[in-house]
Amino acid sequence: MPHDLMSSESLPSFENVAIERDGGTTFVILNRPDKRNAMSPQLHMDMCDALDWAEMDDQTKVVVITGAGGNFCAGQDLKLYFRGTESDPKARVRARRAAHTWRWDRLSSFPKATIAMVHGYCFGGGFTPVIACDFAVAADDATFGLSEVNWGIIPGGLVAWAVTEIMNYRDAIYYSVTGDRFSGKEAAAMKFVNKSVPVENLRAEVMELARKLEAKSPAAVKYTKECVRMVRRMTKDQAMDYLNAKSDALKHVDPEGGRQKAMKMFLDDKVFKPGLGEFKR
Ligand code: COA
């Protein structure tokens, strides 16, 4: 649970996760820099709580997931997550559930835009949140690696499944089976991340994207994300039906009435060109 839900800035604090605000963008930061942000059971539980908080926080329009101390994440904590729960099946179940919940279930269906900001090391189980985020931006010199094979285990905990969601099959097999590392630049070339930039520009690049997303209608962002995610596994007819229903629903659930406002501004007032940017809200 959060230690302090109402600090002076109304930001929650956690043992292994830090929260920072930049306008409408909230950084949710894996915060075990001494351990290269390896994911302990406590970190997983903190991430579940932090994402629950960020979802409900009205000021948060965009969530950036990143790691403290110049690294993204060294994967599962070999000592605390694996060895530490070996003889405690209940603790293992709790840790596994929390690990899965935030890294895939919560992030992949998060109602606000999410960006993974990757610098330094990103290994093993650290791949899952990168893949689950809507966007990923890496430092050119970031180091990605599916290192599991190097110590005799598989990319479990959904990692093998998640990598095939985003990598082509040859790359997924190659990097899983060899354990070879790849850089942020290579990750961008294979579209594992949207782009990579020199590390000194990483935050600015992420904030440029975040500001763009902050300016958009939250309801349209949420619905668009849901639609793109859901139709991937539908037939054409199912998708048509689902998308029609979602379009109708959005008209009614958008508290800003974006569609009606935008129509009026474009068709009647002629003060807005939707192809060139969002309407002023
Ligand atoms: N689990 C537990 N502890 C970890 C860890 C992990 N996955 N990754 C790093 N750490 C700890 C180290 O044990 C060390 O702890 P110590 O200071 O108590 O000795 C500390 O973090 C710093 O690690 P170190 O190896 O000294 O730093 P480095 O910068 O030279 O190397 C890595 C960083 C990430 C390349 C290296 O630690 C590593 O290979 N980690 C394992 C990565 C991995 O295979 N992850 C997949 C797990 S699913």
Side-chain angles (χ1 to χ4, degrees):
M1 286 298 288
H3 285 167
D4 170 20
L5 268 173
M6 294 300 290
S7 72
S8 54
E9 295 170 280
S10 295
L11 292 178
S13 64
F14 304 91
E15 200 172 315
N16 291 159
V17 171
I19 304 284
E20 278 176 29
R21 261 202 213 292
D22 190 334
T25 294
T26 298
F27 284 72
V28 178
I29 304 165
L30 280 62
N31 193 24
R32 300 183 70 223
D34 294 350
K35 303 294 179 191
R36 310 299 182 257
N37 306 315
M39 297 177 288
S40 62
Q42 184 62 49
L43 182 142
H44 289 306
M45 288 169 206
D46 287 353
M47 283 301 289
C48 290
D49 289 337
L51 290 178
D52 283 351
W53 169 81
E55 177 176 352
M56 297 301 158
D57 176 56
D58 289 334
Q59 193 179 322
T60 300
K61 307 286 182 238
V62 177
V63 165
V64 176
I65 306 289
T66 192
N71 291 294
F72 186 76
C73 174
Q76 294 287 16
D77 189 303
L78 302 165
K79 189 170 167 189
L80 299 177
Y81 184 88
F82 287 116
R83 191 185 276 172
T85 61
E86 240 160 39
S87 54
D88 187 345
K90 288 182 183 166
R92 170 60 67 92
V93 168
R94 276 198 300 276
R96 184 180 278 167
R97 182 179 300 140
H100 179 70
T101 297
W102 81 266
R103 286 182 308 159
W104 192 263
D105 290 347
R106 298 290 286 111
L107 269 183
S108 69
S109 62
F110 203 72
K112 303 172 182 182
T114 54
I115 306 171
M117 180 173 108
V118 185
H119 49 187
Y121 293 122
C122 176
F123 284 114
F127 273 49
T128 308
V130 176
I131 296 166
C133 280
D134 303 319
F135 306 91
V137 184
D140 287 340
D141 61 358
T143 302
F144 292 87
L146 291 166
S147 52
E148 288 89 340
V149 71
N150 292 341
W151 50 288
I153 67 163
I154 58 165
L158 219 53
V159 174
W161 179 84
V163 294
T164 59
E165 283 285 285
I166 202 141
M167 281 177 157
N168 77 51
Y169 182 70
R170 285 270 180 242
D171 288 333
I173 289 280
Y174 184 88
Y175 288 106
S176 307
V177 176
T178 63
D180 280 4
R181 293 174 298 282
F182 54 94
S183 68
K185 254 190 178 164
E186 289 168 311
M190 65 175 102
K191 281 293 168 198
F192 183 77
V193 298
N194 293 95
K195 60 164 72 172
S196 76
V197 293
V199 68
E200 59 273 19
N201 302 341
L202 181 62
R203 188 169 170 125
E205 189 71 31
V206 165
M207 284 313 302
E208 190 180 326
L209 172 59
R211 293 284 185 250
K212 189 185 295 186
L213 297 165
E214 278 181 36
K216 304 209 180 287
S217 152
V221 167
K222 175 177 184 293
Y223 268 54
T224 303
K225 284 177 50 164
E226 285 168 1
C227 288
V228 174
R229 189 175 72 248
M230 296 303 288
V231 297
R232 293 173 80 195
R233 302 196 198 291
M234 289 182 188
T235 64
K236 187 259 294 168
D237 289 344
Q238 288 166 337
M240 185 87 84
D241 193 44
Y242 168 86
L243 292 170
N244 284 340
K246 288 290 265 193
S247 295
D248 290 344
L250 180 56
K251 270 188 257 175
H252 299 290
V253 301
D254 180 1
E256 296 184 335
R259 178 189 173 115
Q260 293 84 336
K261 269 188 215 161
M263 290 271 187
K264 181 173 179 306
M265 288 166 77
F266 179 64
L267 296 175
D268 306 328
D269 305 342
K270 301 205 178 288
V271 292
F272 163 59
K273 292 191 189 295
L276 302 180
E278 48 277 306
F279 64 93
K280 294 280 170 286
R281 291 157 50 222

